[in-house]
Amino acid sequence: MESTRKRTQHSTNGKPSEHTEQPAQWGRAWEVDWFSLIAVIGLLCFAPFIVFYFVMACDQYQCSITQPLVELYGGQTTLFTIWDRSPSFTWSAVKIYAIWVGFQVFLYMCIPDVTHKFIPGYVGGVQDGARTPAGLVNKYEINGLQCWLITHALWFANAQYFHWFTPTIIFDNWIPLMWCTNILGYAVSTFAFIKAYFFPTNSEDCKFTGNIFYNYMMGIEFNPRIGKWFDFKLFFNGRPGIVAWTLINLSYMAKQQELYGHVTNSMILVNVLQAIYVLDFFWNEAWYLKTIDICHDHFGWYLGWGDCVWLPYLYTLQGLYLVYHPVQLSDAHALAVLLLGLVGYYIFRSTNHQKDLFRRTEGSCSIWGRKPTYIECSYRSADGGIHHSKLMTSGFWGVARHFNYTGDLMGSLAYCAACGFGHILPYFYIVYMTILLVHRCVRDEHRCGNKYGKDWKRYTDAVPYRLIPGVF
Ligand code: NDP
């Protein structure tokens, strides 16, 4: 199913160069090799246990990830004992989770965005997504910031005035809630899988590899929807996981207060730095329509289960760790973490902003006080249309090809370093983000290489490093 395209090439100064034929590849792979297949089956079977292992290690072993293994190896415990000691499924957790997801669906579907009318500079309301492989441009109701604000206003109103539930509710039900998130994660992935075969939203944007496991994991439909507005990717990518992220951290903070009578500076740092990241996500939700998750990934278990389970449980490990180990950092350590987090965030945001500005103005803008330099490219989409694009070679995009990932990694390291150096568990996040973003970088470059052909080669010659100049 690879389409062939004829491209007009341009040099760095925008002049056209020779014509060439190249295969165009969109989204994820069309064919699955044995290695990918084994990895996919392994992840489908074991990923829920990885999440369980980390949370269980905190619950039963004070966040030591080696102690359970040592005890299992030494025969002091068994898998059944660990399983028996873990809190199980409860109906009260089901009730909490159902209310939570139902409320987020209600906010997403029933309250059109009004915040963009009075918050200067914020882009919300109905926005266009990127062009899909079949050449469609979907419309999205961007109201994530509003949902986040309403949810958090209610959270604080409850803590301060209403007292319907204790702010430690999330921590107190953390393992029973994991059952519920897994049920939703697998249910939504399975539903999306069946829907793709029997009633796809747009059949031309579906991708079948012929391998059922790969299709299930990486998704078939590009933009599954129910009705005109319920978009699976936008909903599950942002809410309920990312809206919950800051609430989960607040619940950990409340638990620290309850257990020790005070909140540590490390907990405040984790809450503040991660809240900046989450708020940035919602402030730029319209922009996220143009990122890889929405533009190129199909909706399957990877996004569905990942957004429901992996993200809320593993992105919040630092706060969970700090409930068990209330680390009070020295002023110098706290300041270093804050600086690393803020500089990382600045690089992440500025790099993304530079590309956005550059693409929006088609290069007619100023980057670091100068007109940006770029390589002009053209490509053919699956519907046969020829499109033109530009790859910037100045600003942060001239420093490295994915300097936004570098900033993201600096921020991620700051969250981990806020937990001190007592245990490995809080550092899982930086290890995971490094693997995720390096893999994403390679995946994206493979796709761009196929899409732009020789123009991509000219770009990689002009900007030779991916993440760290001179190193990688
Ligand atoms: P990018 O925002 O880096 O987008 C990559 C795309 O940008 C490419 O596919 C290409 O698309 C275009 N592009 C590449 N180089 C150039 C250039 N020089 N000039 C102009 N356009 C270019 O990637 P993501 O969508 O992955 O990431 C968005 C942000 O989200 C990142 O900052 C990342 O750190 C963050 N992120 C965070 C995650 C988390 O879990 N915390 C997970 C994933 C991402 P085209 O086909 O249009 O040319």
Side-chain angles (χ1 to χ4, degrees):
M1 279 292 290
E2 282 183 336
S3 64
T4 307
R5 68 206 157 83
K6 194 165 241 165
R7 297 174 309 111
T8 310
Q9 296 199 317
H10 296 77
S11 58
T12 352
N13 54 15
K15 289 200 188 116
S17 60
E18 82 230 51
H19 286 254
T20 182
E21 298 252 345
Q22 289 268 342
Q25 189 186 25
W26 288 87
R28 62 160 171 77
W30 289 105
E31 283 166 11
V32 187
D33 55 63
W34 276 102
F35 176 76
S36 307
L37 185 60
I38 291 166
V40 161
I41 296 175
L43 273 175
L44 284 173
C45 297
F46 294 114
F49 293 101
I50 297 175
V51 177
F52 173 79
Y53 187 83
F54 279 105
V55 180
M56 176 283 297
C58 282
D59 186 47
Q60 297 182 24
Y61 292 90
Q62 289 288 308
C63 298
S64 165
I65 49 173
T66 48
Q67 195 58 25
L69 295 175
V70 170
E71 288 198 5
L72 280 169
Y73 184 72
Q76 291 109 302
T77 193
T78 64
L79 287 176
F80 289 113
T81 319
I82 289 178
W83 189 255
D84 279 347
R85 280 203 303 247
S86 300
S88 62
F89 176 91
T90 63
W91 284 106
S92 64
V94 174
K95 206 167 95 186
I96 295 166
Y97 197 60
I99 292 173
W100 167 249
V101 178
F103 183 58
Q104 290 308 313
V105 173
F106 168 77
L107 291 178
Y108 174 57
M109 291 297 288
C110 305
I111 317 217
D113 189 69
V114 291
T115 46
H116 70 278
K117 295 189 178 156
F118 58 86
I119 303 184
Y122 170 64
V123 181
V126 177
Q127 298 291 328
D128 285 345
R131 188 175 296 278
T132 71
L136 285 181
V137 176
N138 284 308
K139 295 221 171 288
Y140 294 85
E141 172 68 43
I142 297 298
N143 61 359
L145 183 67
Q146 178 172 279
C147 297
W148 188 90
L149 289 171
I150 294 174
T151 308
H152 284 70
L154 282 174
W155 175 274
F156 284 111
N158 171 70
Q160 206 64 33
Y161 307 109
F162 302 133
H163 308 298
W164 293 321
F165 55 85
T166 157
T168 60
I169 188 170
I170 304 177
F171 177 88
D172 296 338
N173 291 278
W174 202 217
I175 295 186
L177 279 169
M178 193 192 301
W179 287 96
C180 309
T181 57
N182 269 290
I183 291 169
L184 182 67
Y186 276 93
V188 78
S189 317
T190 309
F191 177 77
F193 180 72
I194 296 168
K195 180 179 173 310
Y197 282 97
F198 296 106
F199 48 103
T201 304
N202 179 15
S203 54
E204 287 181 14
D205 272 329
C206 286
K207 214 171 186 185
F208 296 90
T209 54
N211 186 290
I212 196 165
F213 294 108
Y214 194 80
N215 286 346
Y216 182 77
M217 173 149 173
M218 297 308 286
I220 299 168
E221 273 202 85
F222 198 62
N223 292 118
R225 285 189 171 201
I226 292 179
K228 197 173 165 202
W229 291 106
F230 190 84
D231 185 90
F232 279 57
K233 263 195 211 167
L234 190 66
F235 180 76
F236 285 102
N237 197 28
R239 338 18 167 335
I242 301 189
V243 177
W245 188 346
T246 32
L247 292 186
I248 296 166
N249 280 344
L250 285 171
S251 186
Y252 292 153
M253 196 191 273
K255 195 70 194 179
Q256 244 199 7
Q257 177 70 39
E258 183 189 288
L259 290 175
Y260 311 105
H262 70 278
V263 174
T264 59
N265 58 0
S266 52
M267 180 65 97
I268 293 171
L269 273 172
V270 167
N271 266 261
V272 169
L273 291 175
Q274 295 192 346
I276 292 174
Y277 194 75
V278 167
L279 262 171
D280 176 276
F281 175 86
F282 287 116
W283 181 269
N284 294 293
E285 198 178 20
W287 167 82
Y288 267 92
L289 296 177
K290 310 278 161 75
T291 64
I292 291 175
D293 285 339
I294 307 273
C295 279
H296 304 298
D297 285 343
H298 294 242
F299 187 86
W301 179 89
Y302 173 75
L303 286 181
W305 181 85
D307 293 334
C308 289
V309 186
W310 188 268
L311 188 151
Y313 278 84
L314 296 189
Y315 284 29
T316 58
L317 274 181
Q318 289 81 29
L320 182 65
Y321 173 84
L322 292 171
V323 173
Y324 293 93
H325 299 271
V327 175
Q328 181 68 22
L329 302 172
S330 68
D331 289 351
H333 188 150
L335 191 66
V337 167
L338 184 66
L339 278 177
L340 180 66
L342 292 180
V343 171
Y345 172 72
Y346 171 77
I347 293 175
F348 160 81
R349 174 51 33 224
S350 310
T351 312
N352 288 329
H353 173 71
Q354 285 181 356
K355 187 185 83 174
D356 187 41
L357 179 69
F358 171 79
R359 281 276 168 98
R360 251 189 304 119
T361 58
E362 304 209 337
S364 304
C365 58
S366 168
I367 303 285
W368 291 349
R370 290 189 189 160
K371 202 170 163 3
T373 55
Y374 55 84
I375 288 172
E376 280 217 43
C377 322
S378 66
Y379 61 95
R380 191 189 284 266
S381 59
D383 64 355
I386 293 184
H387 308 277
H388 297 273
S389 193
K390 293 180 172 67
L391 293 168
M392 182 166 39
T393 51
S394 56
F396 281 124
W397 294 87
V399 176
R401 300 199 293 272
H402 273 102
F403 214 54
N404 48 348
Y405 292 180
T406 310
D408 210 344
L409 289 174
M410 288 168 69
S412 306
L413 183 61
Y415 311 155
C416 304
C419 297
F421 305 108
H423 279 90
I424 305 167
L425 181 131
Y427 288 84
F428 168 79
Y429 188 67
I430 183 65
V431 174
Y432 163 72
M433 283 299 285
T434 306
I435 296 170
L436 175 91
L437 292 178
V438 168
H439 175 250
R440 201 177 170 93
C441 179
V442 172
R443 202 159 57 102
D444 184 51
E445 300 215 337
H446 177 69
R447 190 192 62 79
C448 288
N450 280 319
K451 181 177 174 185
Y452 296 123
K454 284 186 187 160
D455 291 339
W456 183 254
K457 171 79 176 70
R458 289 191 303 128
Y459 171 59
T460 56
D461 287 345
V463 186
Y465 292 100
R466 290 176 168 123
L467 295 179
I468 306 171
V471 180
F472 176 70

